[in-house]
Amino acid sequence: MLNTAMSNDFRQTFENFRRTVDQMFGTLADQGTDRGPAASTFSPVIESAWTDHVLHLRAIVPGVAQNDLKVSLNNNQLVLEGERHRPEGWDRNSWTQLAYGKFQTAITLPNGLDLEKVSCRLHDGVLDIDIPVSEARRPRQIQVEVGSGDAPKTINAAETTH
């Protein structure tokens, strides 16, 4: 799909989406362990894959229950909200390298997706999100017809000048 002439706009939109995800990862990388509350806040890792028919997003949300997870669409953004709770009894005299707390992540989606048919599936600490490409944006084959012998076989440059 990305090699077709019709997909240049789609490719540019996908590049904008990729940059948004890269910026998000850059923000996460800046949250060092010695920077206070930001270091202890959970934020899911997100990855993406693209086919001719669907955009696949995957959010890694270990320990987040279905009731503590909300997925919504706001304009052209997919918003993930939720909370990863500390285990019971881990409030005092505990030490962990895991992050807990409320999180919210917004991902700007590329144009050309069918936002009415988004599907989400939570399994084994992974949230899979599939967003179909709209029919109008999918690549299609254009049939080449064989013409009759009536058309001229060559174009005379003298005939085309005025």
Side-chain angles (χ1 to χ4, degrees):
M1 172 180 158
L2 295 177
N3 292 331
T4 63
M6 297 283 295
S7 68
N8 286 338
D9 181 50
F10 217 90
R11 186 180 310 161
Q12 181 179 8
T13 302
F14 185 70
E15 276 299 308
N16 290 338
F17 168 74
R18 185 189 60 76
R19 276 191 228 109
T20 300
V21 172
D22 287 347
Q23 288 172 351
M24 179 184 65
F25 283 127
T27 301
L28 292 175
D30 291 341
Q31 295 178 352
T33 58
D34 59 346
R35 295 186 185 194
S40 63
T41 303
F42 174 72
S43 185
V45 175
I46 299 179
E47 58 187 1
S48 65
W50 190 271
T51 70
D52 288 345
H53 300 283
V54 68
L55 170 63
H56 301 284
L57 297 171
R58 176 172 279 179
I60 311 302
V61 290
V64 177
Q66 179 182 3
N67 295 339
D68 293 324
L69 187 61
K70 178 182 170 187
V71 180
S72 60
L73 286 168
N74 186 4
N75 293 321
N76 213 31
Q77 289 194 326
L78 181 78
V79 180
L80 303 177
E81 298 176 84
E83 185 171 3
R84 180 175 170 174
H85 298 282
R86 283 186 183 276
E88 285 187 39
W90 284 62
D91 295 335
R92 292 182 27 180
N93 300 323
S94 61
W95 179 84
T96 183
Q97 288 184 324
L98 298 176
Y100 296 93
K102 292 183 180 186
F103 63 89
Q104 180 178 5
T105 301
I107 302 165
T108 301
L109 298 172
N111 294 324
L113 298 175
D114 189 348
L115 300 180
E116 299 297 320
K117 296 181 181 175
V118 177
S119 66
C120 299
R121 182 173 165 257
L122 181 64
H123 61 94
D124 302 323
V126 175
L127 176 66
D128 283 322
I129 304 166
D130 289 338
I131 309 173
V133 175
S134 65
E135 286 289 330
R137 298 304 303 229
R138 290 184 184 173
R140 60 187 173 98
Q141 188 71 32
I142 300 172
Q143 184 174 351
V144 177
E145 297 181 19
V146 176
S148 65
D150 297 341
K153 296 191 191 290
T154 60
I155 298 175
N156 187 345
E159 293 175 4
T160 60
T161 57
H162 298 290

